[in-house]
Amino acid sequence: MKNTRNTIAKAAIFELIKNSKVALSHAEIQELNQEACDRVTIYRILDRLTAEDVIHKIVTPSGTVKYAACHHADHEEQHHVHNHVHFNCEVCQLVTCLENVEPTFKLPANYKVNQVNFTVSGICPSCAL
Amino acid sequence: MKNTRNTIAKAAIFELIKNSKVALSHAEIQELNQEACDRVTIYRILDRLTAEDVIHKIVTPSGTVKYAACHHADHEEQHHVHNHVHFNCEVCQLVTCLENVEPTFKLPANYKVNQVNFTVSGICPSCAL
DNA sequence: AATTAAACGCAACAAAGTTGCATTTAAGAA
DNA sequence: TTCTTAAATGCAACTTTGTTGCGTTTAATT
């Protein structure tokens, strides 16, 4: 893998994502980061963090892209597959990782899986009250 | 539901999607339709067809939006949930509906599901040869 | 044939993401 | 510590994707 550097901007953005209980979009990250770095830089940092497998990309049914921290053990060698469910509340719009919900399914023969994206939309417990 | 009309453009676009073995993006539909109608009109037709539940929207892990025909029985009354898996081949880029693959999963209490988006990326049997 | 609201085309706009290039900077080497 | 250099950044420009408003056209009913 290509060398990557630990820059201030990268660390700051990773902190934002790691400390957030919900997945964040590029726009949200930019705002939370107080415009401390360029729009383009954020795109590039998100790409790097995703490639390094410390965050993962989530695409909601409405098409918005969000990012969340990975919670797998650091020592895992192989590229992690994020096969847990992401819940997208239609009321509060928040996207949360349901780390414990891993769907089971069986593909026909000869399909090779590299990546999965399981997103469920609906109403979360908080908004259902 | 609001009245909808069967226009030439709508019928043409529905035919394109229905006759395609793979899910189509807006750009692909526009090209296949020979620019016979406006870009905006295609967006509006896709929205209508989706609302009428004769096509469904698929969002791939890379964030591209595609549309595929629905193959459920016409007489179903309730709004259909497309809980089958969509496979996105990373080589040929084609997105196909695996109608028979329906993942099972169990959400924590009090989550209400309205919509699901299950997409798996990898290599399809044709490209694996 | 007349009516009317849905659908359309067009222009303008907004949001999201990409690319090229000159400048800055992190991190290892001297 | 300073030197070196490739990674990272900022900025401008651009593309792609999706939206909105409005005047005109057209499908479907009367």
Side-chain angles (χ1 to χ4, degrees):
Chain A
M1 187 160 78
K2 211 164 81 168
N3 272 11
T4 61
R5 293 178 184 175
N6 292 316
T7 65
I8 296 165
K10 182 181 162 189
I13 286 168
F14 181 46
E15 280 302 304
L16 284 176
I17 296 172
K18 207 169 50 180
N19 294 335
S20 174
K21 268 190 274 195
V22 298
L24 299 174
S25 68
H26 173 275
E28 289 161 347
I29 290 166
Q30 190 178 5
E31 199 179 355
L32 284 172
N33 197 37
Q34 309 274 353
E35 323 274 322
C37 69
D38 197 72
R39 241 166 52 77
V40 179
T41 300
I42 296 178
Y43 279 116
R44 295 197 264 229
I45 289 173
L46 291 173
D47 285 347
R48 260 183 289 151
L49 290 172
T50 304
E52 290 169 17
D53 209 30
V54 295
I55 65 173
H56 63 282
K57 187 176 177 176
I58 304 160
V59 182
T60 71
S62 58
T64 54
V65 173
K66 303 223 171 189
Y67 296 88
C70 296
H71 292 134
H72 56 79
D74 288 352
H75 50 75
E76 279 187 34
E77 317 229 332
Q78 211 165 4
H79 193 73
H80 193 77
V81 174
H82 299 280
N83 56 348
H84 59 268
V85 165
H86 301 116
F87 192 85
N88 180 24
C89 178
E90 292 164 356
V91 178
C92 63
Q93 292 296 333
L94 297 184
V95 174
T96 46
C97 292
L98 302 179
E99 304 268 356
N100 298 323
V101 183
E102 300 192 355
T104 57
F105 62 99
K106 186 160 168 36
L107 294 182
N110 302 322
Y111 280 91
K112 180 169 182 290
V113 176
N114 287 335
Q115 200 187 351
V116 304
N117 186 65
F118 291 152
T119 313
V120 176
S121 295
I123 302 175
C124 73
S126 308
C127 290
L129 301 177
Chain B
M1 189 160 76
K2 210 164 85 171
N3 272 9
T4 61
R5 294 177 183 178
N6 293 316
T7 65
I8 297 165
K10 182 181 164 190
I13 285 168
F14 181 47
E15 280 302 304
L16 285 177
I17 296 172
K18 206 168 53 179
N19 295 335
S20 174
K21 268 190 273 193
V22 297
L24 299 173
S25 68
H26 173 275
E28 288 162 347
I29 290 166
Q30 190 177 5
E31 198 178 358
L32 284 171
N33 197 37
Q34 310 274 351
E35 323 274 322
C37 69
D38 195 72
R39 241 167 51 77
V40 178
T41 301
I42 295 178
Y43 279 115
R44 295 199 263 230
I45 288 172
L46 291 173
D47 284 347
R48 260 183 289 150
L49 290 172
T50 303
E52 290 170 15
D53 209 30
V54 295
I55 66 173
H56 63 282
K57 186 176 177 176
I58 304 159
V59 183
T60 71
S62 60
T64 54
V65 174
K66 304 223 171 189
Y67 294 89
C70 296
H71 291 134
H72 57 78
D74 288 353
H75 50 76
E76 280 186 35
E77 318 228 330
Q78 209 163 5
H79 193 73
H80 194 74
V81 174
H82 299 280
N83 57 347
H84 59 269
V85 165
H86 301 114
F87 192 86
N88 179 25
C89 179
E90 292 165 357
V91 179
C92 64
Q93 291 295 335
L94 297 183
V95 174
T96 46
C97 291
L98 302 179
E99 304 268 356
N100 298 324
V101 183
E102 299 192 355
T104 58
F105 61 99
K106 185 157 170 41
L107 293 182
N110 302 324
Y111 280 92
K112 179 168 183 290
V113 176
N114 287 335
Q115 201 186 350
V116 303
N117 186 64
F118 291 153
T119 313
V120 176
S121 296
I123 302 176
C124 73
S126 309
C127 290
L129 300 177

